[in-house]
Amino acid sequence: MRDKQLKLGDIPLPEVYSGKVQPEWIDVNDHMNVAWYLLAFDYGIDGLWHQFGISDERRDLTGDSTFAVESHVRYLNELRLDEAFVIQSHVIAYDEKRIHQFQYLFSKDSLKLSATCEWLHLHVDLNTRRVTPWPEDLLRNIAAHPCSTSSLTAPEALGQVISIQKPINAG
């Protein structure tokens, strides 16, 4: 199934954030502006981190945090004023210092997939501002989380490159 045809409930992934399109998120085209999609996805990252045990309290106590180093957003179906949405996350891979995930943003009203976001984050020590290995408890939490299951099919758009198939200005 092409991912643009996915509906809410098609993928057995946990919800990491839900919200509603706010009036200030609407642009001149009368739909949610691109900047707010990234903010919504970022709220989804925060939600997933809390599920892993990466809380504000932990950060303040230990200096553990993450930095986003890359993201790729795709806009598939419009979201309009007051439309409810939900974000689900799929951990594609992780190692001792990095985590690669793919998020789905679904409309709760139409159930359509509205956008996706692929991310790469690094685990960092805020005291040294350096990349550092995940603590063992966080590695266990990531491994045990339902979004980290390897039984899910890789998203169709994973690693997609922006391109134009037949550019006019080839050169």
Short mmCIF file of all heavy atoms in Angstrom, two decimals, residues 11 90 92 104 149-156 158:
data_model
loop_
_atom_site.label_atom_id
_atom_site.label_comp_id
_atom_site.label_asym_id
_atom_site.label_seq_id
_atom_site.Cartn_x
_atom_site.Cartn_y
_atom_site.Cartn_z
N ILE A 11 -1.35 1.20 10.76
CA ILE A 11 -0.03 0.81 11.24
C ILE A 11 -0.09 0.69 12.77
O ILE A 11 -0.53 1.62 13.43
CB ILE A 11 1.04 1.87 10.88
CG1 ILE A 11 1.00 2.19 9.39
CG2 ILE A 11 2.43 1.39 11.26
CD1 ILE A 11 1.85 3.37 9.01
N HIS A 90 7.83 5.61 14.45
CA HIS A 90 8.43 4.31 14.15
C HIS A 90 9.95 4.48 14.25
O HIS A 90 10.53 5.28 13.49
CB HIS A 90 8.02 3.89 12.74
CG HIS A 90 8.57 2.59 12.27
ND1 HIS A 90 8.34 2.13 11.01
CD2 HIS A 90 9.34 1.65 12.88
CE1 HIS A 90 8.94 0.96 10.84
NE2 HIS A 90 9.56 0.65 11.96
N ILE A 92 13.32 3.45 13.24
CA ILE A 92 13.88 2.68 12.13
C ILE A 92 15.14 1.95 12.57
O ILE A 92 15.34 0.78 12.29
CB ILE A 92 14.20 3.62 10.94
CG1 ILE A 92 12.94 4.39 10.49
CG2 ILE A 92 14.83 2.85 9.79
CD1 ILE A 92 11.78 3.54 10.05
N TYR A 104 4.48 9.65 11.41
CA TYR A 104 3.27 9.78 10.60
C TYR A 104 2.32 10.75 11.30
O TYR A 104 2.06 10.59 12.49
CB TYR A 104 2.55 8.43 10.48
CG TYR A 104 3.37 7.34 9.83
CD1 TYR A 104 4.21 6.53 10.60
CD2 TYR A 104 3.29 7.10 8.47
CE1 TYR A 104 4.94 5.51 10.02
CE2 TYR A 104 4.02 6.08 7.88
CZ TYR A 104 4.84 5.29 8.65
OH TYR A 104 5.57 4.28 8.07
N THR A 149 9.77 -1.99 17.12
CA THR A 149 9.64 -3.35 16.61
C THR A 149 10.21 -3.47 15.21
O THR A 149 10.01 -2.61 14.36
CB THR A 149 8.18 -3.81 16.63
OG1 THR A 149 8.12 -5.13 16.08
CG2 THR A 149 7.27 -2.91 15.80
N SER A 150 10.94 -4.53 14.96
CA SER A 150 11.52 -4.77 13.63
C SER A 150 10.55 -5.50 12.72
O SER A 150 10.86 -5.74 11.55
CB SER A 150 12.82 -5.56 13.76
OG SER A 150 12.55 -6.80 14.37
N SER A 151 9.37 -5.84 13.22
CA SER A 151 8.41 -6.56 12.39
C SER A 151 7.64 -5.65 11.44
O SER A 151 6.96 -6.13 10.54
CB SER A 151 7.41 -7.31 13.28
OG SER A 151 6.62 -6.39 14.02
N LEU A 152 7.77 -4.33 11.62
CA LEU A 152 7.09 -3.41 10.72
C LEU A 152 7.86 -3.24 9.42
O LEU A 152 9.09 -3.23 9.40
CB LEU A 152 6.94 -2.03 11.38
CG LEU A 152 5.99 -1.96 12.57
CD1 LEU A 152 6.08 -0.60 13.23
CD2 LEU A 152 4.56 -2.26 12.13
N THR A 153 7.12 -3.08 8.33
CA THR A 153 7.72 -2.81 7.04
C THR A 153 8.30 -1.40 7.05
O THR A 153 7.70 -0.49 7.61
CB THR A 153 6.65 -2.92 5.93
OG1 THR A 153 6.07 -4.22 6.01
CG2 THR A 153 7.23 -2.68 4.56
N ALA A 154 9.44 -1.23 6.42
CA ALA A 154 10.04 0.10 6.33
C ALA A 154 9.10 1.04 5.57
O ALA A 154 8.46 0.62 4.59
CB ALA A 154 11.38 0.03 5.62
N PRO A 155 8.98 2.27 6.01
CA PRO A 155 8.11 3.22 5.30
C PRO A 155 8.54 3.39 3.85
O PRO A 155 9.74 3.41 3.54
CB PRO A 155 8.30 4.53 6.07
CG PRO A 155 8.81 4.12 7.41
CD PRO A 155 9.60 2.87 7.18
N GLU A 156 7.57 3.54 2.98
CA GLU A 156 7.83 3.70 1.55
C GLU A 156 8.75 4.89 1.28
O GLU A 156 9.63 4.83 0.41
CB GLU A 156 6.49 3.91 0.83
CG GLU A 156 6.63 4.24 -0.63
CD GLU A 156 5.32 4.69 -1.25
OE1 GLU A 156 4.49 5.29 -0.56
OE2 GLU A 156 5.15 4.43 -2.45
N LEU A 158 11.04 6.22 3.20
CA LEU A 158 12.27 6.22 3.99
C LEU A 158 13.47 6.56 3.11
O LEU A 158 13.69 5.93 2.07
CB LEU A 158 12.47 4.86 4.64
CG LEU A 158 13.63 4.74 5.61
CD1 LEU A 158 13.39 5.62 6.84
CD2 LEU A 158 13.79 3.28 6.03
#
